Amino acid sequence: VKTPLPATPWIESPDLETHLSTAGLEPDIAAKLRAFAASGFVVLDLGPDGAELCDRAIAQTERRFGPSVRRVQDAWLRAPAVRQLALHPTINAFLRAAYGREPFPFQTLSFRTGSEQPLHADTIHFHSVPERFMCGVWFALEDVKPDAGPLIYHVGSHRLPVMTLQDAGLIGRSRPAAYEEHYLPAFQRRIAESGLPQERALIRKGQAFMWAANLAHGGAPITREGATRRSLVAHYYFEGCLYHTPLQADGPRLRLRAPSDLRTGLWRWPKRDGRIVLPGLRQTLGAVGRSVFRRPLVG
Ligand SMILES: O=C(O)CCC(=O)C(=O)O
């Protein structure tokens, strides 16, 4: 008999303790899962091959950056070390234990310097049905310095309700500026009102910072000119879900997507109850195009 897939990620579930009592995990992994559940983030060490993979990822991506290029999306298409980091067995095993479904990375973002991104939760960019089956992992390719614009986050904010564009006050159709005009100010107000403490991820090369889909996070201002903060973010989905892009939805109808699957280089169809639900033509062509043309995006 096939065990049914959990409807809630274990780390988001009130049944986490019951699950841990029968899951047979190593005590240190169980402790990390509890910390992840309580705080919305956890730091993992990639082990002996981690630092070497970081060096290779830098060597394979460095030439793509320039004065106007701060971020490279999907460098994994051409940089094997980036793909290897995103598929690292330590990350994979932990995600599987934390969520109870098979994870797959679907996107990477490479940075040479701090992103200085405003506070947000990834649930506005990528979400799933059932909800919260999405996770971000931030790999430090070099030691993170306090003045280089570290990743910032609010401890425990993953427990707040997921904010949609409608919650943020958008009425009617979504426009490209909806994110800046509606979502960001409303989200930042909510986090300020929550009183949840802000922290910085001052992690070392070869460590990875994993955060839950709804954790408030962003990039701190860079306070030293020329400071680098080489890092890689990989975003993960989990098997057997509907995958969608809330920011692109016009109203309550989901904007489904067929995310890439870094394990195969192809894409995965969104699924409900084990059955494929086809996304729109544009999203389908986009997914196929990425697999065929294999071009990273710069910006
Ligand atoms: O690296 C950063 O500064 C922020 C990255 C981020 O917000 C994201 O990937 O969602």
Side-chain angles (χ1 to χ4, degrees), residues 109 111 114-118 120 122 125-126 138 149-151 211 217-220 229 231 233 235:
L109 298 175
F111 297 95
S115 75
E116 302 188 307
Q117 269 194 63
H120 64 281
D122 286 341
H125 298 294
F126 329 103
W138 196 101
L151 182 77
W211 69 83
H217 66 281
R229 197 214 62 179
S231 52
V233 182
H235 291 124

Side-chain angles (χ1 to χ4, degrees), residues 55-289:
D55 290 338
R56 279 177 31 219
I58 292 173
Q60 291 168 10
T61 50
E62 196 79 349
R63 69 186 165 83
R64 294 191 182 271
F65 296 98
S68 62
V69 178
R70 288 182 77 167
R71 185 178 105 149
V72 180
Q73 184 180 323
D74 290 328
W76 67 274
L77 289 163
R78 298 292 172 93
V82 168
R83 181 168 169 271
Q84 266 174 281
L85 277 169
L87 290 169
H88 198 283
T90 302
I91 302 297
N92 197 50
F94 192 83
L95 282 171
R96 192 185 299 118
Y99 284 78
R101 294 189 183 213
E102 196 59 33
F104 64 95
F106 66 91
Q107 173 178 285
T108 65
L109 298 175
S110 300
F111 297 95
R112 207 180 78 85
T113 54
S115 75
E116 302 188 307
Q117 269 194 63
L119 273 185
H120 64 281
D122 286 341
T123 43
I124 192 72
H125 298 294
F126 329 103
H127 208 188
S128 62
V129 179
E131 69 163 28
R132 297 174 186 246
F133 277 101
M134 185 268 147
C135 185
V137 180
W138 196 101
F139 300 83
L141 303 183
E142 61 180 334
D143 294 351
V144 183
K145 306 280 184 341
D147 53 9
L151 182 77
I152 48 173
Y153 54 93
H154 286 259
V155 182
S157 54
H158 64 310
R159 294 269 182 238
L160 297 172
V162 170
M163 184 181 276
T164 63
L165 279 178
Q166 283 69 39
D167 298 332
L170 186 81
I171 299 162
R173 288 173 75 80
S174 163
R175 295 179 312 281
Y179 183 64
E180 279 80 19
E181 288 173 7
H182 290 271
Y183 176 82
L184 289 178
F187 186 80
Q188 283 153 24
R189 228 176 300 124
R190 178 182 285 180
I191 297 302
E193 282 163 11
S194 75
L196 292 166
Q198 186 178 93
E199 290 185 0
R200 300 178 296 178
L202 297 177
I203 60 172
R204 290 191 317 276
K205 174 177 176 175
Q207 288 188 316
F209 180 98
M210 180 181 285
W211 69 83
N214 200 40
L215 189 82
H217 66 281
I222 302 168
T223 54
R224 177 170 49 96
E225 216 186 301
T228 60
R229 197 214 62 179
R230 293 181 179 88
S231 52
L232 168 72
V233 182
H235 291 124
Y236 297 79
Y237 268 136
F238 296 81
E239 65 168 345
C241 301
L242 290 179
Y243 314 112
H244 67 104
T245 314
L247 201 51
Q248 287 176 11
D250 281 326
R253 207 182 137 97
L254 300 183
R255 178 61 64 102
L256 293 178
R257 55 189 290 160
S260 298
D261 181 342
L262 269 66
R263 296 171 303 178
T264 59
L266 299 174
W267 61 93
R268 275 184 97 83
W269 298 116
K271 283 191 180 172
R272 181 174 21 220
D273 301 327
R275 293 228 172 85
I276 290 174
V277 183
L278 283 181
L281 186 63
R282 247 187 75 207
Q283 283 67 34
T284 303
L285 290 178
V288 177

Side-chain angles (χ1 to χ4, degrees), residues 32-45:
K32 279 193 183 293
L33 288 173
R34 288 192 184 96
F36 189 12
S39 309
F41 72 92
V42 65
V43 176
L44 300 172
D45 222 288

